[in-house]
Amino acid sequence: MKIHTLDGIKNISGERIYQARTSRHMTQAELAAKMQVEGVSIEREAISKIETGDRLVTDYELAIFAKVFRVSLNWLVENE
């Protein structure tokens, strides 16, 4: 299976995830822990790669990011 990118970026939500995390003064490790409490096994390194667009985000991960940040899925994938 070939993985496609948009201008070399593997997701469109990484920037929003970064914005949501930093606006809450949360570290990547803290975010990983919150995601794990919600049932998603993810490490700090994976969050770093998501935020920089170097890793795909699955639909279930995106749903849990939205839950943890208390934002809509639409907000996470909007391009502003």
Side-chain angles (χ1 to χ4, degrees):
M1 178 171 113
K2 182 173 181 165
I3 297 189
H4 298 278
T5 64
L6 178 64
D7 297 326
I9 303 296
K10 294 182 179 176
N11 70 65
I12 61 172
S13 58
E15 187 174 326
R16 286 294 177 107
I17 291 168
Y18 173 80
Q19 289 173 2
R21 180 181 63 78
T22 57
S23 72
R24 289 161 177 78
H25 308 289
M26 187 184 302
T27 67
Q28 290 173 341
E30 290 169 336
L31 176 55
K34 288 181 182 292
M35 295 288 287
Q36 291 169 6
V37 166
E38 294 295 333
V40 175
S41 179
I42 192 167
E43 301 295 328
R44 187 211 58 81
E45 294 83 6
I47 291 174
S48 176
K49 288 180 179 183
I50 288 169
E51 290 179 349
T52 60
D54 292 328
R55 180 185 177 280
L56 294 172
V57 181
T58 64
D59 53 357
Y60 65 86
E61 289 171 335
L62 198 61
I64 300 301
F65 279 122
K67 181 178 180 180
V68 166
F69 292 134
R70 296 182 183 186
V71 299
S72 70
L73 286 170
N74 285 340
W75 184 84
L76 285 176
V77 297
E78 285 178 344
N79 281 336
E80 270 188 33

